[in-house]
């Protein structure tokens, strides 16, 4: 959890993300749109909905816009990729104790989902991605990403993460000349993190 603050955007209207995509489309401009950021924060009452102070809200908003913009830039290259991987955060599992029947494979390293809970986000994402021929990895942390991506000839990767983690991953993907797409967490933390399944389906 690289952010020094926690957030929960699950109560924010879905139109908020459409607005973000519109602003992010103007890549090269979004880094200089502080006023636009403030307008969006006020329009969608982000401070009230999330409990974030204005400075943290601006950081989060800029990271989300940056993520959207990079997705658009990389989209064509990603769609042309053949072998793809999906990276999921283990903290999005429904349970983080022995109620979760996922098996941890230390050699990968990744959790292997056993689909023990139908309403588990990781279980749902794992099924959807595998139906689309993705290799799925449920990560215990970001340090194993390089090993995983180097383990096979992946051309494309989808990662579910917060904006800070995506920024940390970008140089690795650039060095590997790998097309990436990011799915933002809409609720962060060390457990019970949340991402939108509909967004994942669209990106996959």
């Amino acid at each position: 959890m690289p952010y020094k603050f926690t957030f929960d955007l699950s109560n924010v209207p879905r139109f908020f993300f459409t607005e973000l995509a519109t602003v992010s489309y103007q890549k090269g401009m979004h880094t200089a749109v502080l006023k636009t950021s403030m307008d969006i924060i006020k329009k969608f009452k982000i401070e009230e909905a999330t409990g974030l102070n204005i400075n943290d809200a601006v950081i989060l908003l800029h990271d989300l816009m940056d993520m959207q913009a990079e997705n658009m830039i990389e989209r064509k290259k990603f769609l042309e990729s053949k072998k793809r991987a999906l990276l999921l955060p283990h903290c999005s599992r429904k349970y983080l104790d022995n109620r979760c029947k996922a098996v941890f494979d230390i050699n990968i390293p990744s959790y292997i989902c056993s689909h023990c809970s139908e309403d588990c986000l990781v279980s749902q994402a794992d099924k959807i991605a595998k139906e689309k021929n993705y290799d799925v990895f449920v990560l215990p942390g970001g340090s194993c990403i390089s090993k995983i991506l180097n383990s096979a000839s992946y051309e494309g990767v989808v990662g579910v993460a917060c904006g800070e983690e995506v920024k940390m991953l970008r140089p690795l993907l650039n060095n590997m000349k790998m097309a990436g797409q990011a799915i933002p967490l809409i609720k962060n933390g060390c457990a019970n993190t949340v991402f939108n399944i509909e967004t994942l389906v669209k990106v996959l």
Side-chain angles (χ1 to χ4, degrees):
M1 190 189 73
Y3 282 127
K4 294 180 180 177
F5 55 87
T6 57
F7 62 85
D8 184 352
L9 299 176
S10 54
N11 292 323
V12 175
R14 292 298 304 157
F15 181 66
F16 164 75
F17 296 97
T18 306
E19 186 99 342
L20 267 187
T22 302
V23 174
S24 303
Y25 188 75
Q26 302 173 37
K27 176 65 179 173
M29 291 182 65
H30 73 281
T31 53
V33 291
L34 180 59
K35 183 180 183 307
T36 303
S37 299
M38 298 294 247
D39 290 344
I40 292 175
I41 288 167
K42 289 175 183 174
K43 178 178 179 179
F44 291 97
K45 300 180 180 177
I46 298 300
E47 286 179 280
E48 293 90 333
T50 64
L52 292 174
N53 65 50
I54 192 70
N55 291 331
D56 290 343
V58 168
I59 290 169
L60 178 59
L61 188 61
H62 277 213
D63 285 348
L64 288 171
M65 285 193 291
D66 193 50
M67 199 184 297
Q68 291 274 12
E70 289 294 330
N71 278 355
M72 291 176 197
I73 289 169
E74 290 286 301
R75 190 63 182 168
K76 184 175 184 294
K77 181 180 175 184
F78 176 78
L79 291 175
E80 291 171 350
S81 66
K82 302 298 181 193
K83 190 171 179 59
R84 300 175 185 167
L86 171 63
L87 308 179
L88 297 169
H90 87 99
C91 53
S92 287
R93 291 180 292 155
K94 181 177 180 180
Y95 302 116
L96 298 184
D97 54 25
N98 60 9
R99 287 174 293 178
C100 175
K101 303 307 179 187
V103 177
F104 185 70
D105 187 337
I106 196 169
N107 296 313
I108 299 179
S110 171
Y111 288 92
I112 311 300
C113 182
S114 298
H115 305 290
C116 55
S117 299
E118 287 186 14
D119 57 345
C120 172
L121 280 175
V122 167
S123 175
Q124 293 171 23
D126 183 79
K127 285 179 181 176
I128 293 166
K130 284 180 177 171
E131 285 173 1
K132 296 179 181 292
N133 297 316
Y134 280 74
D135 290 343
V136 181
F137 302 94
V138 184
L139 308 181
S143 59
C144 55
I145 292 176
S146 178
K147 178 180 179 180
I148 287 171
L149 294 183
N150 280 307
S151 68
S153 302
Y154 293 112
E155 297 176 11
V157 61
V158 176
V160 177
C162 69
E164 272 297 307
E165 292 168 321
V166 171
K167 283 191 285 190
M168 292 163 59
L169 179 59
R170 232 175 248 147
L172 173 65
L173 295 186
N174 289 339
N175 288 338
M176 297 180 75
K177 296 180 172 33
M178 189 178 298
Q181 296 284 280
I183 309 292
L185 287 175
I186 56 175
K187 179 186 176 192
N188 74 337
C190 297
N192 304 122
T193 56
V194 176
F195 57 92
N196 186 276
I197 286 288
E198 292 176 9
T199 302
L200 178 69
V201 171
K202 288 177 184 176
V203 169
L204 292 178

